[in-house]
Amino acid sequence: MEKYKHMPDEWDRWLDASVDRDCRPADILAAMVAANYDPAYAEQVIGERIARRRTGLPAAERAPYRYGTPRIRHQGNLIRTGDRDVRVVMRLDQPVVAVLDNVLSDDECDAVVALARDRLAPSATLSPATGENQVRDTRTSRGAFLPEGDNALLRRLNRRIAQITNTPVEHGEALHVLHYGVGAEYKPHPDYFDPNSPGFAATLRRGGQRIATLIVYLNDVEDAGDTVFPKLGLSVVPKKGAAVYFEYMNEEGQLDEATLHGGAPVGAGEKWVLTKWVRQDVFR
Ligand code: PD2
Ligand code: ZN
C-alpha cells in the first residue's frame, strides 16, 4: 500500500496532543510509521510541529530577515585568494547568492574526484525529529567527507575557500563530495539547522549554526542537475571549476528562508560537487 503523505484532521489533533504532552519524537515517529505514514513525511511534520510549539510564531509572523553587508567581498570582478584569482560572475544581495568561476582548476577538480571516488556511501539526512542519520528518497546522491589530514591539496582548498567565504578556516566543516548519477537529486532544503527541532541540538553544539555554503562543481554535466533556488526562480548550471555561494544567517542570528535550494535530477551523464558548509564558530 502507498505510504501516506497527508494527515487527516484526527491525526493532526493527535500529533498536536502528543507534542503538547512532550512525547518522545522517536515514539511519535514509530506510531506514525506503524500507521503507514511515509517516514520522511512523518519526520518532517513532527519536526515542524515541535519547532512551531517552541517558537510560538508561524513563519509568516516572524520578523523579516534583515540583510547586512554580505560576508563575501570582491574587487572588480575578482576575489584574490592567496593562490588563485576567483572570478565573480553573478551576485544577488537579498538573499546573498554569488556565482563564482575559476574556484578550482580542472586538475584540482579531477584530483578531488579521484580522492573521493572509493569513499562514497549513500547520502544521508539528519532527522529533525530524532537526530538520526537516515537515507531517504529526498537525497539520492552518494557522498563522502574528506578530512584534511595531511593532504596538501585539501589543505590548500580549505584555505582558499576560507578566503573566498571570508571566514576562519576552523569554522568550516570537512569538505564534502557528492556524486549524482542519472536521476539522482537533492530535494529543496535549507542548509541551516532549525534551532527548534530536537534532532538538530547535537550538531548545533559542534560549532553553532551553519551560516554559509559554497558548492563547487567538479565536472560539466551532460544534461540538467542544476542547483535550484525555488523561492528565487534561480537555477545555477554546473560548470567545472565554478561554484555557487550563499549565506543565510545574519548577526542577529536570523535565518534566511529565501536560500531554500536543491540539486535538480541529473538528466544525462553524472554530476560531482564539492561542498563546504561554514559554521558560526570553530567546528569540532
Ligand atoms: O549538488 C547540489 O547542487 C546541491 C544542492 C543542494 C548541494 C547541496 N544542496 C548541498 O551540498 O548542501
Ligand atoms: Zn544544500
Side-chain angles (χ1 to χ4, degrees), residues 80-271:
R80 293 184 192 279
T81 73
D83 66 341
R84 193 170 179 84
D85 285 352
V86 168
R87 186 174 288 267
V88 180
V89 177
M90 187 283 281
R91 205 191 72 204
L92 185 66
D93 288 340
Q94 299 189 5
V96 177
V97 179
V99 177
L100 311 174
D101 200 3
N102 203 40
V103 177
L104 263 65
S105 70
D106 280 5
D107 286 350
E108 287 172 335
C109 290
D110 298 342
V112 172
V113 168
L115 273 178
R117 194 180 283 282
D118 294 334
R119 305 192 202 179
L120 299 175
S123 296
T125 51
L126 205 56
S127 160
T130 65
E132 274 176 80
N133 265 317
Q134 292 165 327
V135 176
R136 293 280 181 250
D137 61 5
T138 50
R139 194 181 189 196
T140 50
S141 52
R142 289 165 63 77
F145 277 103
L146 298 179
E148 181 178 292
D150 54 8
N151 184 295
L153 168 66
L154 297 177
R155 186 181 161 80
R156 187 167 83 230
L157 296 183
N158 278 327
R159 267 146 195 70
R160 186 184 303 159
I161 291 171
Q163 289 175 335
I164 294 169
T165 58
N166 200 11
T167 53
V169 70
E170 300 80 15
H171 290 203
E173 296 181 28
L175 288 164
H176 189 73
V177 172
L178 287 173
H179 174 253
Y180 302 76
V182 172
E185 64 177 323
Y186 194 175
K187 292 250 168 64
H189 57 274
D191 275 355
Y192 54 79
F193 301 104
D194 183 335
N196 298 300
S197 293
F200 296 149
T203 191
L204 285 169
R205 284 194 291 272
R206 302 180 63 192
Q209 186 56 270
R210 283 184 178 162
I211 60 170
T213 301
L214 182 78
I215 299 171
V216 186
Y217 304 101
L218 300 175
N219 71 323
D220 291 314
V221 182
E222 220 172 292
D223 181 44
D226 299 2
T227 303
V228 294
F229 292 79
K231 295 193 175 188
L232 310 178
L234 174 66
S235 285
V236 181
V237 182
K239 173 180 185 277
K240 188 171 183 175
V244 59
Y245 165 86
F246 46 101
E247 59 187 54
Y248 35 79
M249 196 185 91
N250 62 17
E251 285 176 356
E252 298 154 52
Q254 286 181 302
L255 298 166
D256 191 355
E257 295 176 6
T259 58
L260 185 81
H261 64 289
V266 169
E270 58 179 349
K271 172 183 169 191

Side-chain angles (χ1 to χ4, degrees), residues 14 23-33 46 130:
W14 170 86
C23 291
R24 288 187 337 127
D27 293 339
I28 304 177
L29 178 63
M32 290 185 71
V33 171
I46 296 166
T130 65

